[in-house]
Amino acid sequence: MAMSLTTATAGGLLTNTNQNVAFLRNPCRDASIGIDGVYSNPAGVLFLPEGFHLSLNIQSAHQTRTVTSTFAGFAFGKDNGGESRKVFEGEAHAPVVPSVQAAYNKGRWSWQAGFAVTGGGGKCVFDDGLGSFESIVSLLPMLGPSLGLDVKGYDYDSYLKGRQYYFGLQLGSAYKITDNLSLYAGVRLTYGSCNYHGYLRDIQVDMGNGYIGASSFFAQLYEKAVAGSAQCSEAAAFYRANGDEATALQYEAMALKLKGQGEAAGAMAKATTDVTLNCDQTGFGAAPTIGLHYKLWHLDFAVKYDFRIKMTLKNVSANSESAESISSLRKFADGNEIREDNPALFTAGVSWQIIKPLRFSVGYHHFFDKDAKLYADMQKKLDGDTNEFLAGLEFDVCKPLMLSVGIQSTNYQFSDDYMNDISFNVSSYTVGCGACVRVSDRVKINVAYFQTNYKTYDKSTSDYNNLSLLVNSFTSSQAGSALAQSGALAGSDSFTRTNKAFGLGVDLSF
């Protein structure tokens, strides 16, 4: 997927399934009959009473994303206390995430519409940047010896913020074939609006007398090395013309050495210039969706299939040239078109009214992630599709009050090649609970709390985050080869997240 700093609280890689507060209090809604079914079970909405049904919802979510990175170069960081292990944490807030579902049932027909934030929903901020940014800077002390320099430490200023909103509109209708069987067909429309802003700037090095600007320092070193190489070449030519071949060869060797040092210093000067990213992305996509609901005795069965939404986001970027020095940011270059499909989704559920006040439900979701086209064919780096398993209970304490609880297990099939600190997700299990208060036959209020508990994904690499321009500049040099062969570029990342969400909604019937 593209840069993922979203606040999605449930669902697949790019899909929010929490599109109604009823989902927060019980995530297993795949066969439930309610106005929230406009998204989760649209064929089942037809079994609501005749008339107009409306659901208004507001959710508020808070999420953290934590990357614990280990790399030898971090020990040289000014504020790292000599530690090679560092924690980078981002916070994501979505204070108000609205959604609306509406349906009009008449006879054997149900006409439905729903609006929700189907992906993203807020912004995520890393105040200190990410390990993949700092790792580039941390190479300076490690590569210093190749220039005959003793770089004792480094310092820098870094920041990254991502904001994603995918607004979804779903329109469709259901038809009751028999008193027990209904079918649904509709279309989903999605508009994506994203912004990414960040920088890596004011890179400094400590040469033993305090911190100085790295780019200007290496630029001066480059100029001196180039000038020295030219002087040595002239000296070699002079001695060769005067028949002193031995001295000429010595000066030629010195010229070659200074040339190499100059090239390295020039690469380091370029790699330590300020990097600024400010990219807006927009795109639109649409796809059909179909569903089926069948009632049998005290059982309800339902299935739904959302077809893949093909979406391309177009970049409008400022300062994108400076971001080319970090390979992971090159996708945000001005004018780039970024493929960002929403994967197809199949859901199935069963709801059983065990006794009149008690209902039990189970559900299954399958996201066809590997069939969705993503930037740089990232979907090919997945080991498989996403699967979710759900279960829930609802209990009518009395006529005005219903309590519910549910659980969802989300299982991703990631590979090390897919995971990086800019874009990651991890498998999890989620618990939701809440209440539905029936104020009257026409008014219901839903209130819920929803918490996701994430696992940790550990990744090791022998070439830490493919250290972009700075490493690439040295891959053919003795310094770069020596670092690679020594294992000094080895590192590791551990990825995890937290998520909490609250919701309040009102359902109206007319």
Side-chain angles (χ1 to χ4, degrees):
M1 63 188 291
M3 186 176 182
S4 178
L5 300 175
T6 66
T7 57
T9 57
L13 296 178
L14 293 172
T15 305
N16 290 354
T17 52
N18 56 309
Q19 296 187 22
N20 189 284
V21 175
F23 177 91
L24 298 189
R25 62 176 176 80
N26 175 16
C28 190
R29 304 292 299 171
D30 304 297
S32 297
I33 296 175
I35 184 59
D36 64 291
V38 168
Y39 169 72
S40 59
N41 180 23
V45 174
L46 187 52
F47 292 97
L48 289 173
E50 284 196 352
F52 183 72
H53 304 274
L54 177 67
S55 181
L56 305 172
N57 303 268
I58 292 178
Q59 298 179 39
S60 179
H62 174 77
Q63 187 179 101
T64 64
R65 295 173 179 239
T66 303
V67 184
T68 302
S69 300
T70 302
F71 183 55
F74 291 164
F76 297 97
K78 179 181 179 181
D79 299 320
N80 294 347
E83 296 289 333
S84 60
R85 180 176 176 272
K86 188 170 182 178
V87 177
F88 300 86
E89 185 168 277
E91 291 194 358
H93 300 279
V96 178
V97 182
S99 65
V100 180
Q101 289 85 32
Y104 178 70
N105 290 356
K106 183 66 175 179
R108 291 189 173 275
W109 285 94
S110 174
W111 291 271
Q112 304 172 22
F115 171 82
V117 179
T118 58
K123 65 180 180 179
C124 184
V125 178
F126 286 84
D127 288 321
D128 297 320
L130 292 167
S132 57
F133 290 12
E134 182 166 350
S135 61
I136 297 172
V137 183
S138 73
L139 278 180
L140 295 174
M142 303 172 71
L143 293 169
S146 67
L147 299 175
L149 301 173
D150 181 14
V151 182
K152 298 184 180 300
Y154 66 86
D155 193 19
Y156 73 108
D157 184 20
S158 183
Y159 174 85
L160 179 64
K161 178 182 73 175
R163 173 187 56 78
Q164 291 182 330
Y165 284 97
Y166 290 85
F167 301 101
L169 176 65
Q170 182 168 317
L171 303 170
S173 61
Y175 180 74
K176 191 180 290 185
I177 297 176
T178 70
D179 290 341
N180 296 328
L181 177 64
S182 64
L183 296 178
Y184 170 87
V187 62
R188 296 182 301 133
L189 310 172
T190 299
Y191 173 77
S193 175
C194 310
N195 172 263
Y196 305 101
H197 171 65
Y199 52 77
L200 177 62
R201 65 191 185 190
D202 195 22
I203 299 174
Q204 300 182 26
V205 290
D206 179 11
M207 305 305 300
N209 295 310
Y211 284 88
I212 57 177
S215 185
S216 58
F217 172 77
F218 288 116
Q220 293 174 9
L221 196 64
Y222 164 76
E223 293 174 358
K224 291 180 180 179
V226 169
S229 179
Q231 291 174 359
C232 288
S233 295
E234 292 176 0
F238 172 80
Y239 282 106
R240 180 167 286 113
N242 287 278
D244 190 348
E245 185 65 20
T247 303
L249 290 174
Q250 290 178 359
Y251 274 103
E252 282 184 343
M254 292 172 61
L256 185 62
K257 181 179 179 180
L258 287 170
K259 180 182 178 182
Q261 290 181 345
E263 291 176 349
M268 296 176 90
K270 182 179 179 181
T272 53
T273 56
D274 291 351
V275 175
T276 302
L277 171 70
N278 190 5
C279 176
D280 290 304
Q281 296 179 331
T282 55
F284 175 81
T289 179
I290 55 176
L292 177 150
H293 189 103
Y294 182 70
K295 295 180 67 68
L296 175 66
W297 190 51
H298 297 299
L299 296 171
D300 287 273
F301 303 88
V303 294
K304 183 188 70 160
Y305 184 78
D306 295 335
F307 288 77
R308 172 169 61 104
I309 293 180
K310 299 179 181 180
M311 178 176 287
T312 299
L313 302 175
K314 186 170 182 179
N315 292 348
V316 177
S317 305
N319 304 309
S320 61
E321 295 84 0
S322 68
E324 291 181 358
S325 61
I326 300 179
S327 60
S328 59
L329 300 184
R330 291 174 185 169
K331 68 169 69 173
F332 302 107
D334 186 52
N336 270 7
E337 293 189 347
I338 308 300
R339 192 65 178 266
E340 187 92 350
D341 290 358
N342 289 172
L345 167 63
F346 171 79
T347 70
V350 179
S351 180
W352 175 31
Q353 185 170 313
I354 303 173
I355 55 177
K356 189 172 183 179
L358 182 63
R359 291 169 298 281
F360 173 69
S361 56
V362 293
Y364 169 71
H365 299 167
H366 183 87
F367 294 87
F368 295 85
D369 297 316
K370 287 188 70 66
D371 294 331
K373 304 298 183 182
L374 302 175
Y375 175 80
D377 289 330
M378 286 295 290
Q379 76 279 358
K380 294 181 180 179
K381 298 180 180 181
L382 292 167
D383 286 339
D385 295 328
T386 300
N387 293 288
E388 292 184 331
F389 303 91
L390 307 94
L393 281 172
E394 295 183 339
F395 180 68
D396 295 320
V397 178
C398 56
K399 186 176 180 180
L401 178 63
M402 178 183 70
L403 301 178
S404 63
V405 63
I407 189 169
Q408 172 181 285
S409 174
T410 301
N411 303 281
Y412 299 112
Q413 302 296 318
F414 292 138
S415 68
D416 284 358
D417 288 339
Y418 182 89
M419 296 286 280
N420 62 74
D421 57 0
I422 289 182
S423 174
F424 75 89
N425 211 325
V426 286
S427 297
S428 64
Y429 73 90
T430 298
V431 177
C433 61
C436 174
V437 181
R438 302 180 180 93
V439 179
S440 70
D441 291 339
R442 297 181 179 274
V443 180
K444 298 177 181 178
I445 297 176
N446 289 299
V447 60
Y449 173 74
F450 184 89
Q451 179 169 320
T452 303
N453 302 286
Y454 292 90
K455 299 179 181 178
T456 298
Y457 187 100
D458 297 319
K459 171 186 175 180
S460 297
T461 174
S462 59
D463 183 8
Y464 187 80
N465 285 327
N466 297 315
L467 292 173
S468 192
L469 180 63
L470 192 56
V471 170
N472 294 338
S473 301
F474 286 86
T475 52
S476 61
S477 71
Q478 292 184 353
S481 299
L483 283 176
Q485 293 173 6
S486 69
L489 297 184
S492 66
D493 289 313
S494 292
F495 307 94
T496 191
R497 295 161 55 160
T498 67
N499 180 74
K500 298 177 181 178
F502 301 88
L504 179 65
V506 58
D507 297 344
L508 306 172
S509 298
F510 305 95

